[in-house]
Amino acid sequence: MVLADTLVVLAANVLAMLVPAVAVSVGPRRFLGALRDSRRRFVAVAPYLLPLAVVLAARRLALSIGPEISWYLEWNVTGFIYGLEGTAVVRLQELASPLLTDYFVFVYLYGYVFLLVFPIVAYFALDDTDRLAELLVAFVLNYGIGLVCYVLFVAYGPRNVIPEVVDSLLYTTQPTSQHLTGEVNRNTNVFPSLHASLSATVALFAWRTRSEYVEWLLLAVPLAVSVAVATMYLGIHWVTDVAGGLVLAGGSYWLAIRVVDRYGCWESMPAFFSRLSARS
Amino acid sequence: MTSNSLSRRAFLASAVSASVAGCNGIQYRDRYKPGERVSLTVSAPPADDDEAATTIARTLTDRLSSLGVDAVFEPKGRSQLYLDALINHDFDVFVGRYPNLTHPDALYPLLHSSFAPEPGWQNPFGVTSVAIDDSLEALRESADSTAALREFLDVYVERVPFSVVTAPDFLTVRREALSVPDGATTERPLDVLAQLASSSLDRPFRAGIFSVEITENRNPVAGEFRWNDQLLGLVYDSLARPSRTGAGFIPWAAREWYFEDGDLVVELRPGQTFHDDSQLTAQDVAFTLRFLSDTSLGAASSPVPATRFRGHTTLVSGAEATDERTVRFEVADHVDPVNAERVLTIPILPEAEWADRTELVEERVTKALVWENRQPVGSGPLAFEEATPEESVQFRPYERHFLGKTSDDRLTEYAPALDTDGVVARYAPSGEDALVALGDGRLDTSLHLFPLQAVGGVEGANDVVSASSPSDELCIVGYNFRRAPLSDFRFRQVLARLHDREHTAASVFDGFARATDLPMVEDWHEVDWSSEFTVGSFPGSDGELDVSTVRDRFEEAGYTYDDDGNLFR
């Protein structure tokens, strides 16, 4: 019940950003044109959609059996990270004000989802499907490598380790959001920050597509920076997690471009797929 | 600690073999290792599970680091922490909560050396001290526990088998409009039953839980580290229950009990049934004791007890049903009858259902201990209705319960609970979330211990009030005696003083705790033990440690510092 309400609010907020952003940046005409050509575009990126589906399914799996494996291995890096940076994130919270907190909560919950969804729509609208393919590959790499880290390492965030100096601002200001975050992650999974890595990945792609979507670059970069800062400001991630996320983003971006450059997109469904669909 | 010493050993091995291959002269020098850096891992639940424990453990880690110890803080999810500490005995130092310290005799299984190899809250520290054993046996044997307790505390403060930091309060937050007595908390099953009885709602009583365990597992026997038995404790009746007002027990499924020829004889109330409408007889009670003492009922090569009840079942050496409604417990040697009464609090299990759960699923683990028992059948005032895993669980009143018929004036206050619509327990991921739920009517009260960090929000919340009272729990620091230098009581004596208890009670617990360094809860005795016994004051003030004083203490205890200020043993 609470979860459903939270999801509706999430969808409403993200749509409220997405619709105007698409209208302004992509434009209705280009968007509708892309829809009419959607079959070709789906076929083109089909080889990259499958791995994404696999990784997202693995994400569900990693949530249920992942903790078992993590605790079996018991590679608990929390103490190491704490030893490395101590109470560095406290500095950020010293700047806290109600307005700033509202902003970062909004960015963390809704801005982030918008940041991930918009480029999918925008790159889908480009005639050249390579950008969309690259983005999908980069998402797969981020998620895939991030999940492996989550399963391998046990790492708790600042709010769980230094609670007397870091407030768990997200959950004190938006208590019910925990029903949602509890669905998508566990509190032992903070290294690396996927919020930071996926946002940075999107920002890197915004730079790559600056000639097509210059307004997007102007929006994506500050938003991505905000998301990364928000994760620390809200007491969820360590500086180390965000740094790890940025490295992951850079690596995924670089590799995604190489992969699509090497393997390209499909021009049509391979013959055996067509035969399969014809038979059914 | 393990990996460190392992790598050191590996290094040594290679150095030694290299020197053997080369020149004999340096072998001795390579093997000569007069000291080893003191290294400790301090574990505790993360703030999501127990913020106070996190803070205490992390503060301890910081202090140990400043004293030259190679110290690492390691947060672990609560169930993992207790699995590692209580079952696997794989820990150095842990901060946690010791539950159910309702009676001095609870110290016996906690610290007696004969329990050291056992899993669970049976001597998890590995204490093997003749002095402690002697004082515990005296405590169990004596009717006047004041003198025996004095003896025990005398040994306790010298040997420091574990440390106590505070005695925390139990915190409950509820809707202001709810008609329950002021200051009522939800710590024990009877507290909850009393609230249910006075709630007068025309729908189920909505109680907030902070752990999903009971939505998935309703086995009253399993789980050495189950804290929250408020609801299962009402599904499964016991012969007697601890009185809510002071010491002693009130008769429950037992109408009365008395001592005869060294036996504890119990008369059951007539006409009791389990929730499946089968009769509850003296046979079931005698079976329960046999079963909890050995859940394999003789099938395993050595007994597989339900570790949760080890302290209770060792008070008696046998039980026999002499007729349908009479059970004779044979009190164990060297146990004072007053102490033996504690055995009356074990849950009564229906023999028909549990007798075939005896098979071993693993070495020393029977089916009974790991079974989820999704459809629990007890004889208590609440009967299981339905559950949604990870979300909620619902219980209805059991209308055939004896509370509906009794005129015992110690019990009549609970009888109206049978006329309600029962209880639905709903999971709240955090205290803050529970406050929102209380505000919009999704919850009537918190059931489990309300998280301290959210209590600040009570004031700002609409129509929500909190209540607190001293609890049966202690916030403790466990030391693993199996690992040097924790095996050294001089070292532990210094460790025990690294907590500024007054400061912790005030700042970490927000005043919802009593600062104490003694292993006892408040309502045991009238005596002010703290003026007589102490492990020593905190060297420092206002939570600031006086590092040089403690360094001197470590040196006095025989430890050394190198030039970089690192502590060696």
Side-chain angles (χ1 to χ4, degrees):
Chain A
M1 187 173 70
V2 186
L3 179 63
D5 292 350
T6 324
L7 280 173
V8 169
V9 174
L10 172 71
N13 273 293
V14 173
L15 281 176
M17 288 181 278
L18 196 61
V19 172
V22 170
V24 170
S25 200
V26 183
R29 183 171 300 176
R30 179 148 56 152
F31 183 69
L32 291 174
L35 280 183
R36 275 191 293 273
D37 184 36
S38 55
R39 189 184 154 80
R40 177 188 71 86
R41 292 168 198 228
F42 273 123
V43 170
V45 298
Y48 304 113
L49 280 175
L50 188 68
L52 187 63
V54 169
V55 168
L56 290 178
R59 188 182 170 87
R60 297 298 311 171
L61 199 66
L63 275 185
S64 50
I65 64 160
E68 285 291 317
I69 302 174
S70 309
W71 285 119
Y72 181 75
L73 296 171
E74 228 172 324
W75 291 341
N76 197 329
V77 296
T78 318
F80 175 75
I81 296 176
Y82 172 65
L84 211 60
E85 60 175 90
T87 55
V89 286
V90 177
R91 300 254 175 79
L92 264 179
Q93 278 203 349
E94 280 167 3
L95 309 171
S97 73
L99 196 67
L100 208 54
T101 303
D102 286 346
Y103 170 70
F104 281 126
V105 166
F106 182 85
V107 162
Y108 184 87
L109 290 176
Y110 312 124
Y112 168 68
V113 178
F114 166 67
L115 198 57
L116 300 195
V117 176
F118 176 81
I120 297 180
V121 178
Y123 296 175
F124 180 78
L126 292 177
D127 286 331
D128 182 358
T129 51
D130 280 2
R131 294 298 92 75
L132 182 56
E134 288 165 0
L135 184 72
L136 293 175
V137 174
F139 279 2
V140 169
L141 291 170
N142 271 295
Y143 266 124
I145 298 168
L147 285 187
V148 170
C149 289
Y150 286 171
V151 171
L152 288 184
F153 303 117
V154 172
Y156 287 96
R159 67 185 186 86
N160 262 316
V161 175
I162 42 176
E164 77 282 20
V165 285
V166 168
D167 282 332
S168 181
L169 282 173
L170 177 61
Y171 301 127
T172 50
T173 50
Q174 288 271 317
T176 47
S177 64
Q178 210 155 351
H179 289 275
L180 181 67
T181 55
E183 285 293 309
V184 295
N185 216 336
R186 295 279 184 264
N187 60 5
T188 51
N189 294 341
V190 301
F191 181 84
S193 164
L194 277 186
H195 261 77
S197 76
L198 286 165
S199 300
T201 303
V202 168
L204 288 171
F205 275 100
W207 174 256
R208 187 165 169 78
T209 57
R210 62 192 178 281
S211 52
E212 289 93 342
Y213 295 116
V214 66
E215 313 90 334
W216 173 239
L217 176 67
L218 297 177
L219 183 62
V221 171
L223 196 52
V225 172
S226 297
V227 170
V229 175
T231 64
M232 297 180 283
Y233 176 91
L234 298 174
I236 296 163
H237 281 296
W238 302 98
V239 179
T240 309
D241 306 333
V242 171
L246 295 183
V247 171
L248 176 58
S252 302
Y253 175 76
W254 182 85
L255 195 56
I257 291 170
R258 296 295 169 287
V259 166
V260 175
D261 186 40
R262 170 85 175 69
Y263 298 100
C265 292
W266 279 353
E267 306 212 331
S268 64
M269 265 313 183
F272 66 93
F273 270 122
S274 319
R275 253 177 279 130
L276 269 182
S277 54
R279 206 174 298 161
S280 67
Chain B
M1 188 156 145
T2 329
S3 64
N4 210 350
S5 57
L6 260 182
S7 60
R8 181 189 293 274
R9 215 170 292 147
F11 169 77
L12 255 177
S14 61
V16 168
S17 56
S19 62
V20 169
C23 131
N24 282 333
I26 61 168
Q27 271 184 48
Y28 180 69
R29 197 183 69 199
D30 279 354
R31 293 203 310 272
Y32 185 72
K33 282 278 171 191
E36 200 170 316
R37 174 95 189 266
V38 174
S39 92
L40 293 172
T41 301
V42 182
S43 314
D48 275 350
D49 294 349
D50 186 347
E51 179 169 328
T54 313
T55 308
I56 291 168
R58 230 209 52 261
T59 309
L60 178 63
T61 312
D62 291 347
R63 286 180 185 156
L64 287 169
S65 301
S66 73
L67 293 167
V69 174
D70 175 16
V72 179
F73 172 60
E74 188 179 54
K76 282 183 184 180
R78 177 150 59 192
S79 46
Q80 185 63 33
L81 174 70
Y82 290 111
L83 183 70
D84 281 348
L86 304 184
I87 311 291
N88 304 331
H89 297 155
D90 179 17
F91 69 98
D92 290 349
V93 175
F94 77 88
V95 179
R97 288 176 189 242
Y98 179 65
N100 300 330
L101 197 61
T102 48
H103 193 282
D105 190 59
L107 294 166
Y108 187 85
L110 182 65
L111 295 174
H112 196 279
S113 63
S114 64
F115 292 93
E118 292 194 20
W121 275 113
Q122 280 62 248
N123 197 348
F125 320 116
V127 182
T128 49
S129 154
V130 179
I132 289 180
D133 282 0
D134 287 348
S135 69
L136 288 169
E137 283 159 21
L139 201 56
R140 195 163 242 212
E141 225 172 310
S142 81
D144 168 28
S145 55
T146 312
L149 203 54
R150 181 166 276 124
E151 233 169 276
F152 166 76
L153 289 175
D154 198 34
V155 185
Y156 173 85
V157 296
E158 190 205 25
R159 311 300 301 193
V160 204
F162 65 97
S163 280
V164 178
V165 183
T166 61
D169 288 348
F170 192 91
L171 257 172
T172 296
V173 175
R174 62 173 167 84
R175 287 197 301 123
E176 196 170 16
L178 195 68
S179 92
V180 300
D182 275 347
T185 62
T186 50
E187 183 179 13
R188 298 184 187 182
L190 278 193
D191 299 329
V192 176
L193 194 62
Q195 290 211 11
L196 181 61
S198 62
S199 63
S200 58
L201 299 165
D202 51 7
R203 53 163 175 79
F205 185 69
R206 295 164 182 167
I209 51 177
F210 299 107
S211 147
V212 294
E213 194 177 24
I214 193 173
T215 66
E216 299 169 328
N217 183 318
R218 289 173 283 281
N219 183 335
V221 172
E224 293 70 19
F225 30 89
R226 190 201 292 279
W227 268 255
N228 305 305
D229 62 353
Q230 292 104 322
L231 292 172
L232 272 189
L234 292 173
V235 173
Y236 288 91
D237 265 351
S238 49
L239 293 168
R241 291 182 184 270
S243 162
R244 288 168 65 222
T245 52
F249 300 96
I250 55 174
W252 198 260
R255 189 172 60 187
E256 58 169 344
W257 60 85
Y258 52 90
F259 291 94
E260 191 179 83
D261 307 331
D263 288 354
L264 171 58
V265 184
V266 178
E267 296 281 346
L268 297 180
R269 289 178 198 278
Q272 295 188 69
T273 52
F274 288 106
H275 301 150
D276 60 0
D277 289 340
S278 61
Q279 291 291 321
L280 188 165
T281 66
Q283 280 291 348
D284 292 300
V285 177
F287 162 79
T288 301
L289 185 91
R290 277 205 319 278
F291 187 66
L292 295 182
S293 309
D294 178 10
T295 54
S296 79
L297 290 177
S301 49
S302 57
V304 185
T307 54
R308 263 189 99 191
F309 301 101
R310 277 296 274 154
H312 298 77
T313 51
T314 52
L315 291 165
V316 293
S317 47
E320 192 195 347
T322 52
D323 63 45
E324 279 288 283
R325 282 174 41 205
T326 315
V327 193
R328 252 188 131 81
F329 290 100
E330 192 183 326
V331 177
D333 294 341
H334 310 296
V335 175
D336 184 84
V338 174
N339 292 326
E341 280 183 2
R342 244 161 52 87
V343 78
L344 302 175
T345 61
I346 59 177
I348 303 169
L349 307 175
E351 177 172 11
E353 208 191 7
W354 291 81
D356 57 358
R357 309 272 165 202
T358 53
E359 71 197 85
L360 288 173
V361 292
E362 250 175 81
E363 194 70 23
R364 312 220 12 93
V365 181
T366 56
K367 183 138 189 238
L369 295 178
V370 292
W371 180 41
E372 286 171 332
N373 192 22
R374 289 183 184 258
Q375 303 280 338
V377 176
S379 59
L382 291 182
F384 175 72
E385 178 87 20
E386 60 176 358
T388 313
E390 299 200 18
E391 258 177 50
S392 65
V393 56
Q394 188 162 352
F395 301 91
R396 61 182 158 82
Y398 180 52
E399 63 283 354
R400 293 184 64 183
H401 194 262
F402 68 80
L403 276 178
K405 294 164 258 179
T406 182
S407 56
D408 187 331
D409 56 8
R410 286 168 294 185
L411 303 180
T412 43
E413 66 164 306
Y414 305 109
L418 299 183
D419 301 324
T420 64
D421 288 327
V423 178
V424 57
R426 290 178 176 164
Y427 174 63
S430 67
E432 287 86 359
D433 180 68
L435 284 179
V436 174
L438 285 164
D440 58 25
R442 276 179 290 132
L443 289 180
D444 292 318
T445 181
S446 64
L447 184 77
H448 295 165
L449 175 69
F450 188 80
L452 256 181
Q453 61 265 38
V455 80
V458 171
E459 234 166 83
N462 271 344
D463 307 322
V464 172
V465 289
S466 67
S468 66
S469 62
S471 72
D472 297 334
E473 285 188 350
L474 286 179
C475 180
I476 64 161
V477 183
Y479 309 123
N480 195 343
F481 279 49
R482 303 165 191 88
R483 296 183 181 175
L486 296 165
S487 43
D488 175 8
F489 74 96
R490 291 182 195 282
F491 187 79
R492 296 195 304 272
Q493 281 176 345
V494 184
L495 279 195
R497 299 179 65 169
L498 295 181
H499 305 279
D500 190 345
R501 294 172 170 83
E502 300 288 344
H503 186 262
T504 304
S507 66
V508 178
F509 285 90
D510 241 346
F512 290 106
R514 178 173 56 93
T516 179
D517 55 0
L518 299 179
M520 49 209 306
V521 296
E522 206 159 39
D523 56 359
W524 280 2
H525 294 282
E526 308 284 291
V527 188
D528 177 20
W529 299 101
S530 59
S531 61
E532 217 174 317
F533 299 101
T534 173
V535 296
S537 58
F538 174 70
S541 60
D542 286 336
E544 287 300 318
L545 185 73
D546 179 356
V547 172
S548 64
T549 310
V550 186
R551 285 185 175 240
D552 291 345
R553 293 236 171 84
F554 273 132
E555 286 181 325
E556 284 161 24
Y559 294 79
T560 53
Y561 278 99
D562 71 0
D563 293 342
D564 300 327
N566 297 325
L567 188 66
F568 279 76
R569 62 182 167 87

